[in-house]
Amino acid sequence: MYTATAIAHPNIAFIKYWGNRDDVLRIPANGSISMNLGALRTRTTVTFSTDIAEDSLSLNGRRIRGAALQRVSALLDKVREMADLLMAASVESSNNFPTGAGIASSASAFAALALASSAAAGLHLDEAALSRLARTGSGSACRSVPDGFVEWEAGTGDADSYAHSLAPAEHWDLHDCIAIVNAGHKPTGSSRGHKSASSSPLQTARVADAPRRLSLCRTAILERDFSRLAEVAEQDSNLMHAVMMTSSPPLFYWEPVTLAIIRAVQDWRKAGTPVFYTVDAGPNVHVLCPARKVASVQKRLARIEGVQSVLCSPVGGPARLVQSGGVV
Ligand code: PMV
């Protein structure tokens, strides 16, 4: 029996990944930049054993089958091939944040899975190889492997499409206050969304302009320039949603309350509070601010009608192995 446990954090992108050059390998149309969310965690234990007949997956103690299990098995197949291992595996995963609240967990899930499964199989993958492996499960998962503020270089194929750290978590005390919105329906998943991105006539312009936005964002992070980061991140989020809304079929992830929060954030910034918003493939709004503003931003967001709860997180570290209660 071979077993290992890893934890990884989800991440929030300032420059978004939307659309693939290669849907199977998840080679993105453009590079992206994100920060890990340290207060949110996925913890995953992978056990390979000759006693196990077939791969199994549990999430927060509940057995998962179907497409989600197949996606996990596909990553395990890559690990088995690399390690020359024939055993099936059990995968036990838990999140410390509410599932079904629209907080993307595939990034932390596949980063933790890549690390736990490769370590259990006896492989010692370096950060780039781990990031590439995680990418094949979910694109944004490759950004949950390195520390803190992370850039995923799009690359041209499997070998050169992986993420690296721009700066460690301690570099800048930014926080993400996630306004969880009461949404009545489940949004279209990102795998389907990536496939439809190129059907929007705006995607070509969004991708062509990505190097400019990446450069602005990289510099803003390295220089801890909040207003520059605010400007480019909001523009990038709006560009992605413009592509989503103009794809065939169109994808509208925003709810009325999403726009109400966006407007409130703009007003607060005009009035002098350092805040900015960014929205992923769902109606929740991520509101970024420095540590000293978290309490007041959280309170203000919670007062907006339609906001169910507000989850706040500082910047998080890299994916890491855990052993008998401690972190290696
Ligand atoms: O990794 P995926 O396939 O779940 O795609 C993530 C897409 C966004 O969250 C909308 C943007 C991003 O870069 O994280």
Side-chain angles (χ1 to χ4, degrees), residues 19 28 134 212 223 247 265 278 318 321:
R212 180 191 67 88
E223 295 179 355
S247 293
V265 169
T278 182
L321 287 169

Side-chain angles (χ1 to χ4, degrees), residues 15 30 43 50 91 95 106-107 115 120 122 125 131 135 162 165 183 190 205 254:
I15 304 298
N30 61 278
R43 182 189 174 103
T50 46
V91 176
N95 292 331
S106 67
L115 180 52
L125 301 184
S131 177
R135 190 203 71 231
Y162 56 87
S165 181
S190 51
W254 294 7

Side-chain angles (χ1 to χ4, degrees), residues 11 13 15-18 26 32 71 104 106 138-141 143 190-191 194 240 244 279-281:
N11 64 74
I15 304 298
K16 309 286 191 190
Y17 150 52
W18 197 247
R26 298 180 203 273
S32 52
R71 218 163 139 184
S106 67
S138 167
S140 59
R143 296 191 311 241
S190 51
S191 295
H194 291 301
M240 180 179 75
M244 291 164 160
V279 185
D280 277 346

